[in-house]
Amino acid sequence: NAGVTQTPKFQVLKTGQSMTLQCAQDMNHNSMYWYRQDPGMGLRLIYYSASEGTTDKGEVPNGYNVSRLNKREFSLRLESAAPSQTSVYFCASSKDEKEKLFFGSGTQLSVL
Amino acid sequence: AQRVTQPEKLLSVFKGAPVELKCNYSYSGSPELFWYVQYSRQRLQLLLRHISRESIKGFTADLNKGETSFHLKKPFAQEEDSAMYYCALLKSGAGKSTFGDGTTLTVKP
C-alpha cells in the first residue's frame, strides 16, 4: 500500500536554484496539502487543493507555487530557493476536507 | 483565526506512569480536533479524532469546550509511546488543519 508518495526524500540546493517536489496519492482522495515542518514551529500549511482543479494559499505560501496536475498528483515548486526555505516538507491527502490526513514520508530540503 | 497551543515541547515520564499531553485551542466555531503521532523513522499518522471517541493504543482525549482543551491521556505509558505528538484543529468547512507546535514524549524504562 503506497498511500502518499513524495519525491525526492532529500535535496540540497544553492540559493536561487529552483526545484519541484512531487507528491502522488493512490487512495482516490479529493484533497491534497503541502506542509512544512520546522523545529519548534509544528506543521504550517503552505498550499492546499480541496479538489482537482482548485488550489488555495495556506499560512505560509510566499516563495512557493503549486500545481494540481490531476486527482493523484500535487506538486510544490520553489522558483528561487532561499535559506529560509530549509525545512522538512510533507505532502498529505484526505478523502475530503472534513477527513483525516494521510501523510507522505517527507522531503528534507537544505538551501545553502 | 484559529490557534492550537501545546504548552510542553518536551515531556518525559517513566514507563508505567500516567501521561497527559496538553492541547488548548482558540476557535469561535465548532471545532474538529485530532491527535497525530510521528514515531521515529515513520511518517506522521492519525492517532485519534475526537468525534470517533475511540481509544487507540490506550490513549484517550476528551474535548472540553468550556476550557477549550483536548488533552491526550494514557494511564500507563509504554516505551513504544515515545514519539512526537501533534494536536490539530480542523476548521469546520474550511478544509485546513491547524497544527500545534508538537510535544516530544519520552518514556523512560
Side-chain angles (χ1 to χ4, degrees):
Chain A
N1 294 337
V4 179
T5 303
Q6 287 182 238
T7 55
K9 292 190 184 303
F10 302 94
Q11 184 70 51
V12 179
L13 295 177
K14 294 181 179 178
T15 298
Q17 287 186 316
S18 62
M19 79 160 294
T20 300
L21 280 66
Q22 306 287 352
C23 176
Q25 51 88 12
D26 62 1
M27 296 175 283
N28 200 35
H29 284 173
N30 289 307
S31 304
M32 297 185 74
Y33 313 81
W34 277 104
Y35 284 90
R36 59 178 288 173
Q37 182 186 43
D38 300 294
M41 299 185 74
L43 279 82
R44 292 181 292 169
L45 183 65
I46 305 171
Y47 270 94
Y48 72 106
S49 172
S51 61
E52 186 179 357
T54 68
T55 60
D56 284 289
K57 294 179 180 179
E59 187 183 355
V60 288
N62 291 343
Y64 305 95
N65 285 301
V66 290
S67 295
R68 183 74 184 266
L69 305 170
N70 48 55
K71 191 171 185 179
R72 289 188 63 248
E73 298 172 286
F74 188 42
S75 63
L76 178 72
R77 182 160 178 84
L78 287 69
E79 290 290 351
S80 179
S84 61
Q85 294 178 305
T86 294
S87 187
V88 180
Y89 291 84
F90 288 99
C91 178
S93 71
S94 61
K95 186 177 180 181
D96 59 44
E97 293 177 274
K98 299 178 183 178
E99 295 297 322
K100 66 182 180 183
L101 299 174
F102 290 81
F103 284 87
S105 57
T107 297
Q108 193 166 328
L109 175 67
S110 295
V111 183
L112 306 177
Chain B
Q2 66 269 26
R3 185 177 176 85
V4 177
T5 303
Q6 292 179 249
E8 304 134 331
K9 290 193 185 301
L10 302 171
L11 185 62
S12 181
V13 300
F14 285 101
K15 177 183 174 181
V19 62
E20 180 180 67
L21 289 84
K22 291 184 169 53
C23 172
N24 291 93
Y25 67 90
S26 61
Y27 176 53
S28 57
S30 182
E32 290 200 49
L33 286 145
F34 302 77
W35 277 98
Y36 288 87
V37 61
Q38 187 174 28
Y39 300 104
S40 180
R41 296 191 182 87
Q42 294 187 29
R43 60 185 66 192
L44 203 61
Q45 59 187 291
L46 179 72
L47 180 62
L48 58 80
R49 178 177 184 179
H50 91 271
I51 61 171
S52 65
R53 304 187 70 81
E54 296 178 55
S55 173
I56 307 296
K57 298 186 177 183
F59 284 97
T60 59
D62 290 319
L63 178 60
N64 186 323
K65 291 187 178 181
E67 296 183 358
T68 59
S69 68
F70 188 56
H71 303 327
L72 183 69
K73 300 177 184 179
K74 185 170 183 177
F76 306 104
Q78 303 300 312
E79 290 181 68
E80 56 264 31
D81 296 327
S82 296
M84 171 75 90
Y85 291 81
Y86 288 99
C87 182
L89 182 154
L90 178 60
K91 185 177 175 181
S92 179
K96 296 185 287 186
S97 292
T98 299
F99 285 78
D101 291 346
T103 297
T104 300
L105 173 66
T106 301
V107 181
K108 296 180 285 188

